[in-house]
Amino acid sequence: MAALLLGAVLLVLQPSLAPSHPVVPGAEPSQQEVLRKAGPPQEALRGAAAANGSAQQLPQTIIIGVRKGGTRALLEMLSLHPDVAAAENEVHFFDWEEHYSRGLGWYLGQMPFSAPHQLTVEKTPAYFTSPKVPERVHRMDPAIRLLLILRDPSERVLSDYTQVLYNHMQKHKPYPSIEEFLVRDGRLNVDYKALNRSLYHAHMQNWLRFFPLRRIHIVDGDRLIRDPFPEIQKVERFLRLAPQINASNFYFNKTKGFYCLRDSGRDRCLHESKGRAHPQVDPKLLSKLHEYFHEPNKKFFELVGRTFDWH
Ligand SMILES: *[C@@H]1O[C@H](CO)[C@@H](O)[C@H](O)[C@H]1NC(C)=O
Ligand SMILES: *[C@@H]1O[C@H](CO)[C@@H](O)[C@H](O)[C@H]1NC(C)=O
Ligand SMILES: *[C@@H]1O[C@H](CO)[C@@H](O)[C@H](O)[C@H]1NC(C)=O
Ligand SMILES: *[C@@H]1O[C@H](CO)[C@@H](O)[C@H](O)[C@H]1NC(C)=O
């Protein structure tokens, strides 16, 4: 049944996927349109070369999410590889209309200079949960390899809340307790956006309409934090990178309680804001949260043919 439904959706979507389809007012700009804005067609994929032979390239891989899943850690670890060039900032090209309307040329301009053999990667965690993004990414490059890092959905909700709480505290602004978001009329408030972001199956379905599962590698964010090396090796294999990152690139910092990175003698721990303590949550509420995600998680496991060690 699910396969039938997916097939029907694909049929419906097919016309808008054909690049030669006439542009309907208010519809997505066609690939040609986006490329025209980028300047020279086709070869817009590679920017002008600098004197030293490096150039900007559109990403061959994107870390699409999830927010608070460990995307920064993943990007930093991947950057240990000499054949990877990472965009420093979150670009928000495919999810922000203001950026997307500037075209691929603008996107290219956000990318780091890299050697021809290097892979360019950008990360914008909001891509995963933005319904318009999968089609847009597909339009740029249907063969792109996508990285998705996920962690326990309940933990992710708490972490999501904590991030916004700290942002408010920094600006000396008040922010309601997590209970005020999670509970409405004595029940779990399913309208809380952070809950929806953890409904991984719903978002994953959007991506699978445009990309086969083999193009999306899921990194286990909980494992990446506990034991980064095996997870990062899987990423190397998925991206067909030569195995270069090794166990001595990671060392455990007992004070912090998690791993730091060692890169040609240069030590680097993630920013203080990573790995922040979560708020104390009433155990009853916590089990309600676990219960809420039980079915969605099962659906997600079926969708990706793999299980995760989540509550
Ligand atoms: C090459 O030139 C670009 C653009 O000027 C610069 O950003 C990049 O750091 C340079 N790369 C190397 C390896 O010197
Ligand atoms: C969650 O978000 C997705 C994608 O934006 C949307 O399709 C879905 O209706 C939302 N679900 C709930 C329960 O709010
Ligand atoms: C691990 O990588 C570093 C640099 O990336 C290298 O100097 C070192 O020899 C490697 N160690 C092993 C055991 O391969
Ligand atoms: C370990 O973490 C602590 C606390 O953040 C930090 O002050 C220290 O420099 C770190 N040590 C190493 C060797 O990274």
Side-chain angles (χ1 to χ4, degrees), residues 251 253 255-256 260 267 269 272:
Y251 69 94
N253 184 326
T255 324
K256 277 191 180 291
C260 298
D267 291 355
C269 294
E272 285 303 324

PDB file of all heavy atoms in Angstrom, residues 251 253 255-256 260 267 269 272, ligand 4:
ATOM      1  N   TYR A 251      40.446  11.996  20.613  1.00  0.00           N
ATOM      2  CA  TYR A 251      40.852  11.666  21.984  1.00  0.00           C
ATOM      3  C   TYR A 251      39.750  12.104  22.930  1.00  0.00           C
ATOM      4  O   TYR A 251      39.035  13.072  22.681  1.00  0.00           O
ATOM      5  CB  TYR A 251      42.193  12.313  22.336  1.00  0.00           C
ATOM      6  CG  TYR A 251      42.143  13.810  22.457  1.00  0.00           C
ATOM      7  CD1 TYR A 251      41.941  14.417  23.695  1.00  0.00           C
ATOM      8  CD2 TYR A 251      42.288  14.612  21.334  1.00  0.00           C
ATOM      9  CE1 TYR A 251      41.887  15.788  23.814  1.00  0.00           C
ATOM     10  CE2 TYR A 251      42.243  15.994  21.438  1.00  0.00           C
ATOM     11  CZ  TYR A 251      42.037  16.576  22.680  1.00  0.00           C
ATOM     12  OH  TYR A 251      41.970  17.933  22.793  1.00  0.00           O
ATOM     13  N   ASN A 253      38.126  13.673  26.088  1.00  0.00           N
ATOM     14  CA  ASN A 253      38.374  14.699  27.103  1.00  0.00           C
ATOM     15  C   ASN A 253      37.477  14.406  28.307  1.00  0.00           C
ATOM     16  O   ASN A 253      36.269  14.585  28.246  1.00  0.00           O
ATOM     17  CB  ASN A 253      38.092  16.082  26.514  1.00  0.00           C
ATOM     18  CG  ASN A 253      38.422  17.191  27.490  1.00  0.00           C
ATOM     19  OD1 ASN A 253      38.254  17.043  28.703  1.00  0.00           O
ATOM     20  ND2 ASN A 253      38.904  18.298  26.963  1.00  0.00           N
ATOM     21  N   THR A 255      37.165  15.881  31.178  1.00  0.00           N
ATOM     22  CA  THR A 255      36.467  17.038  31.775  1.00  0.00           C
ATOM     23  C   THR A 255      35.165  17.306  31.025  1.00  0.00           C
ATOM     24  O   THR A 255      34.114  17.526  31.617  1.00  0.00           O
ATOM     25  CB  THR A 255      37.354  18.299  31.697  1.00  0.00           C
ATOM     26  OG1 THR A 255      38.707  17.925  31.898  1.00  0.00           O
ATOM     27  CG2 THR A 255      36.922  19.330  32.716  1.00  0.00           C
ATOM     28  N   LYS A 256      35.266  17.299  29.720  1.00  0.00           N
ATOM     29  CA  LYS A 256      34.099  17.573  28.887  1.00  0.00           C
ATOM     30  C   LYS A 256      33.135  16.391  28.862  1.00  0.00           C
ATOM     31  O   LYS A 256      31.941  16.556  28.724  1.00  0.00           O
ATOM     32  CB  LYS A 256      34.536  17.848  27.446  1.00  0.00           C
ATOM     33  CG  LYS A 256      34.980  19.277  27.200  1.00  0.00           C
ATOM     34  CD  LYS A 256      35.112  19.501  25.698  1.00  0.00           C
ATOM     35  CE  LYS A 256      35.550  20.904  25.368  1.00  0.00           C
ATOM     36  NZ  LYS A 256      34.528  21.904  25.657  1.00  0.00           N
ATOM     37  N   CYS A 260      37.360  14.968  21.588  1.00  0.00           N
ATOM     38  CA  CYS A 260      37.869  16.137  20.880  1.00  0.00           C
ATOM     39  C   CYS A 260      38.649  15.627  19.669  1.00  0.00           C
ATOM     40  O   CYS A 260      38.942  14.436  19.562  1.00  0.00           O
ATOM     41  CB  CYS A 260      38.782  16.959  21.774  1.00  0.00           C
ATOM     42  SG  CYS A 260      37.940  17.617  23.240  1.00  0.00           S
ATOM     43  N   ASP A 267      44.730  20.574  18.346  1.00  0.00           N
ATOM     44  CA  ASP A 267      43.599  20.004  19.084  1.00  0.00           C
ATOM     45  C   ASP A 267      42.392  20.928  19.004  1.00  0.00           C
ATOM     46  O   ASP A 267      42.532  22.138  19.034  1.00  0.00           O
ATOM     47  CB  ASP A 267      43.973  19.793  20.554  1.00  0.00           C
ATOM     48  CG  ASP A 267      45.001  18.689  20.705  1.00  0.00           C
ATOM     49  OD1 ASP A 267      45.321  18.055  19.681  1.00  0.00           O
ATOM     50  OD2 ASP A 267      45.478  18.480  21.830  1.00  0.00           O
ATOM     51  N   CYS A 269      38.265  21.117  20.362  1.00  0.00           N
ATOM     52  CA  CYS A 269      37.060  20.583  20.974  1.00  0.00           C
ATOM     53  C   CYS A 269      35.891  21.370  20.419  1.00  0.00           C
ATOM     54  O   CYS A 269      36.072  22.495  19.963  1.00  0.00           O
ATOM     55  CB  CYS A 269      37.118  20.710  22.493  1.00  0.00           C
ATOM     56  SG  CYS A 269      38.430  19.685  23.211  1.00  0.00           S
ATOM     57  N   GLU A 272      31.535  25.274  23.285  1.00  0.00           N
ATOM     58  CA  GLU A 272      30.902  25.045  24.604  1.00  0.00           C
ATOM     59  C   GLU A 272      29.411  24.701  24.516  1.00  0.00           C
ATOM     60  O   GLU A 272      28.884  23.964  25.338  1.00  0.00           O
ATOM     61  CB  GLU A 272      31.045  26.303  25.467  1.00  0.00           C
ATOM     62  CG  GLU A 272      32.445  26.512  26.018  1.00  0.00           C
ATOM     63  CD  GLU A 272      32.950  25.344  26.837  1.00  0.00           C
ATOM     64  OE1 GLU A 272      32.151  24.719  27.555  1.00  0.00           O
ATOM     65  OE2 GLU A 272      34.158  25.047  26.748  1.00  0.00           O
TER      66      GLU A 272
HETATM   67  C1  LIG B   4      39.241  19.376  27.968  1.00  0.00           C
HETATM   68  O1  LIG B   4      38.066  20.108  28.259  1.00  0.00           O
HETATM   69  C2  LIG B   4      38.273  21.153  29.178  1.00  0.00           C
HETATM   70  C3  LIG B   4      36.900  21.712  29.561  1.00  0.00           C
HETATM   71  O2  LIG B   4      36.210  22.239  28.462  1.00  0.00           O
HETATM   72  C4  LIG B   4      39.205  22.183  28.558  1.00  0.00           C
HETATM   73  O3  LIG B   4      39.386  23.276  29.442  1.00  0.00           O
HETATM   74  C5  LIG B   4      40.520  21.512  28.219  1.00  0.00           C
HETATM   75  O4  LIG B   4      41.365  22.409  27.540  1.00  0.00           O
HETATM   76  C6  LIG B   4      40.322  20.270  27.394  1.00  0.00           C
HETATM   77  N1  LIG B   4      41.565  19.532  27.292  1.00  0.00           N
HETATM   78  C7  LIG B   4      42.036  19.063  26.177  1.00  0.00           C
HETATM   79  C8  LIG B   4      43.343  18.334  26.263  1.00  0.00           C
HETATM   80  O5  LIG B   4      41.465  19.188  25.127  1.00  0.00           O
END
